[in-house]
Structure formats: structure tokens, C-alpha cells
Amino acid sequence: MAIPAGFQPEGIAVSARGTAYTGSLLDGSVYRFDLTTGAGRIITRGEGPMSVGLKLDPYGRLLVAGGASGQIRVIDAGDGRVLATHQAATGTAFVNDAVVGCGGAWFTDSFADVLYFLPVGRDLTGPGAAPRTLRLGGEWDPVPPGGDH
């Protein structure tokens, strides 16, 4: 398998059929490839925000964390079209890892003590599809990025 030069892969999502997707830290492109044959191609050409964490939802869409842009993108896993872009955070943020479960997709923020929740349904473009923020707290001391544990 030969990923395009300068792609800078980050994150991976894998379908039940063995199709894998990885994002680019450089420009947000998404590369799809077959885990058996290694054959692949870029399905979404990046236009700026990086693609970090990726997960597939039950409707055949990639949910992509946009790192420092604070965005969450919804991409058609078949043809690579960007179906929706949601602004989860502004300011100092780094929307990072993703997991799908409990009725939606959850995204971490590497710079803040929050999770972002995007409800996963058939329509991710309407007003009900906006990400919500869940503040984290409790009996623990958050550690700033790069800090000692």
C-alpha cells in the first residue's frame, strides 16, 4: 500500500468489510484503502482543517474530528462528499478522538476538559444535529497538554 507523498496519516476507521479510512494531518484529506489488497485512493481532498480521529456511523458515514479547527465533519464513506460541517468548539481547542455509541458520536478535546456529542441519526444537517458539550469534572485534577501525570 502506498499512501500519497506528504499525506501524514492520522486516525483510522475500519468497516466490517475490511475497508479502512485514514485522515491527513496536513490538509484534512481522507484516504480509503482495502486492508486485504492495499489498493486505495483519496476520496476527500482536504481544503484546510486536519482530519484526526475518524469513526464510521451506522449509516455509512465517516465522522471526522478536525483537530485545532474545532470542527466535526460528516463525510459519505462511499464517495467522499462532505455532507455536513459542525463547529464543536472555538478558541483553544483540539477535537481529537472519536467513538460511536449511546445514540451518537463522542469526541474528545485534547486542550479542554470536555466531550462533544453529535447525535447520530439519518439527518446530520438539521438544527437537532448540532454538537453538544459535556463538561468533565469530579475528583480529579486535569493535566494540561504536555504536563506531567
Side-chain angles (χ1 to χ4, degrees):
M1 176 177 77
I3 290 178
F7 188 81
Q8 297 183 1
E10 172 66 24
I12 189 165
V14 180
S15 76
R17 294 184 172 173
T19 301
Y21 304 83
T22 188
S24 173
L25 286 175
L26 182 65
D27 66 2
S29 293
V30 175
Y31 185 78
R32 179 179 62 207
F33 58 100
D34 184 289
L35 289 173
T36 303
T37 67
R41 67 182 180 89
I42 292 177
I43 62 167
T44 303
R45 290 265 173 217
E47 298 176 0
M50 61 180 59
S51 293
V52 188
L54 298 91
K55 286 295 180 266
L56 287 162
D57 78 1
Y59 300 100
R61 299 173 297 207
L62 279 171
L63 307 173
V64 182
S69 73
Q71 295 178 347
I72 298 169
R73 291 190 314 279
V74 181
I75 296 174
D76 184 296
D79 63 21
R81 284 178 301 130
V82 177
L83 303 172
T85 301
H86 299 285
Q87 193 67 45
T90 58
T92 303
F94 195 90
V95 181
N96 197 346
D97 293 320
V99 65
V100 174
C102 299
W106 296 87
F107 296 84
T108 61
D109 188 323
S110 296
F111 295 166
D113 303 321
V114 299
L115 295 175
Y116 304 108
F117 176 73
L118 181 65
V120 174
R122 291 201 180 276
D123 180 24
L124 287 176
T125 59
R132 295 189 299 254
T133 301
L134 174 66
R135 302 237 172 259
L136 301 175
E139 295 185 27
W140 58 284
D141 291 325
V143 177
D148 293 332
H149 292 273

